[in-house]
Amino acid sequence: MSRQIDQLWSGILENIKKEVNGNSFATWFKPIKPAKLEGATLTIQVPSQFFYEWLEGHYSVVLNSAITKVLGPAAKLLYSVIIDSSIQSMQLPSMKKVSPKAKVQSNINERFTFDSFVEGDCNKFAKAASMTVAKSPGGTTFNPLLVYGGVGLGKTHLIQAIGNLAIQNGVVNRVLYVDSERFTMDFIDSIQKNKTTEFSSYYRNADLLVVDDIQFFSNKERTQDEFFHTFNALHNKGKQIVLSSDRPPKELNGIEERLISRFQWGLVVDIQLPDLETRQAILQKKAEENGLELPGEIFQFIATNITSNIRELEGALIRLLAYSSLKGVDITLDLAKRLLKDVCLPQMRAISIEFIQKTTADYFGIPDDMMRAKTRKKEIAQARQLAMYLCKRLTDSSLKTIGLHFGGRDHTTVIHAIAVVEHMMEKNQLREQVEAIKNKIEIAQL
Ligand code: ADP
Ligand code: MG
């Protein structure tokens, strides 16, 4: 029996693995234990109430559909949550059942709203345009609205928010969200099954059609042709089209000119990389949404170290939350540093030696190229020794590497410098300076 349930569970995990990224899988699905199987009712054991809520809030569709695939349509999911790590447990139902009908209706994720979208200079214009379109789909000159920008910067969130608001305000009947790959696959499928008419009318009857990641239409001639006609049909009827892409329309290689020109009929807006304040605000918002209060320094630490992708920013926070809920410990800055070492450290290390040199030079009011110069003037030599000492203490760099950064000095020079500084500190000299500079460096890295 227990072998059977383990096997089933592995099968379910295999299915889940295909749907979620590696980090989420490790965080949220590895800790689950299959507890009981009665008929088609599977009970899984999760480590905390928080875990249960998170899974239900974010992964219920993924979980339920994986379980249905393995256990059949009658499958039912129950959770058992371990309380205070004792055996005592409480049974909780899976709240949401997959509802295939709702999926066909729009494919829009309710989580992606304007309310949960943090505004910054990077996305202000895109957000304003999106809201305008959402309030009056097809009723503005922003047709199509095309939002472009790099990976993980909020394109999908924003264009789905348009759908959510339009549905909520009741200004449209039929909203459809589809990514271009799905569109392509469904189209090919419809050709094989002789159902292209149904396919066409499905999309051409939308009031608001949202197509994500149109760069994937590249080099798919027949799909592009179909989309061209879909586009025209909708546009002629005054229906709204919203598109996203990872680059501006002109740079969409492998896409027909007539489509590219249509993509630019309405409004093209971009989303840029968020600045530090925006990144912090996003983290704060995500924490709030999950009912969590964290010290500001944690947000600052994550936001300083993850700069290029909001999805990763979120991922870092989620890892902290999961860990603290699993182990029942508070999230502290130390914990954050430890857990996020792999995401954050490469950047911290990369700037370290130069940064230490600069901070030390600034502190002593000397030009930072003096760190690499040959001069033996006493103040300069001492500042240089101190910087070498800090490089050894604050980075993982080898003595050899440190020496090279200080004007190609030998590693024995570095050893000597460290010994001198340590010796002086034992005599309570230099200690204050070392601490002050160390503080400056560490604060700047937060
Ligand atoms: P893209 O489609 O551009 O790759 P997504 O829309 O999938 O990016 O965004 C990645 C994650 O970051 C999502 O979870 C999304 O909710 C979040 N996100 C992106 N931008 C914002 C923002 N401005 N405010 C709040 N969350 C955001
Ligand atoms: Mg996307």
Side-chain angles (χ1 to χ4, degrees), residues 156 212-213 311:
T156 299
D212 208 351
D213 288 320
R311 193 175 295 122

Side-chain angles (χ1 to χ4, degrees), residues 13-24:
L13 284 182
E14 283 308 311
N15 278 301
I16 292 171
K17 228 182 210 161
K18 290 181 210 143
E19 301 293 325
V20 304
N21 71 39
N23 237 334
S24 309

